[in-house]
Structure formats: C-alpha cells, structure tokens
Amino acid sequence: EIGVRLVGSEMCIRDRLILDEPCQGLDPHNRNQILKVIDIIGSGTPTQILFVTHSSEDHLNCLDYELRFLKKEDGTYEVQKTKLKSLR
C-alpha cells in the first residue's frame, strides 16, 4: 500500500520530484518511513522536491524553503516564504 500510495502521489520530471500529500491516510510508522525516504532522496541526490501537505506534522530536513498560503479576511491569499536552511 505504501509503495502504491507514493507512486500514485508523485510525479517525476527528470531531476524533480513533485509529491502531493504522500503521507495522507498513513499510520504514524509508515508516515515516518515515507518521510525518511523522501529526506534521503532530497539530501543525497540532486533531485529537487516540491512537497505539498496540509499537515504541520509532515517535516522534511532536506527542504530549503517553505511556502504557506495564508487566507486573508477579504478571501484572497497571501504567500509567506520562509528560508529553512542556508543554501549550499
């Protein structure tokens, strides 16, 4: 199930990996396993990762930036960009 869910939620374009909610519906153990694999890919290869999640618990050490879409009172959204670590 984990492999199928990961394959079903990813899109790979050369050296880019786009993951849309890859941990959704997983139990804590399998969620942590998937996050570890993604961290290994992001830290040990030149692959760029776009990781989409609605869970504040999904944390990856390999990410350089975090984008948050914050809904404003008027119904529009503001993008908040945070640098997570110094770039190499």
Side-chain angles (χ1 to χ4, degrees):
E1 178 184 353
I2 296 170
V4 172
R5 185 175 301 275
L6 183 61
V7 169
S9 65
E10 73 176 279
M11 184 168 124
C12 196
I13 304 171
R14 295 187 188 189
D15 57 352
R16 291 171 186 82
L17 183 60
I18 301 170
L19 298 163
D20 184 16
E21 299 281 350
C23 298
Q24 184 178 18
L26 296 178
D27 62 74
H29 172 76
N30 287 319
R31 180 186 153 278
N32 288 333
Q33 293 297 99
I34 292 297
L35 292 173
K36 285 179 187 177
V37 169
I38 297 168
D39 251 339
I40 290 169
I41 293 169
S43 299
T45 70
T47 302
Q48 296 177 341
I49 296 176
L50 175 62
F51 183 81
V52 178
T53 186
H54 290 95
S55 173
S56 59
E57 296 177 9
D58 290 346
H59 175 75
L60 294 170
N61 294 316
C62 66
L63 300 182
D64 295 321
Y65 291 97
E66 175 181 81
L67 296 178
R68 289 180 180 247
F69 296 87
L70 308 172
K71 191 171 186 176
K72 301 189 322 189
E73 287 183 19
D74 65 1
T76 61
Y77 288 85
E78 173 184 338
V79 178
Q80 178 185 51
K81 181 178 179 181
T82 305
K83 187 174 181 181
L84 300 175
K85 62 182 178 182
S86 60
L87 301 176
R88 302 171 262 315

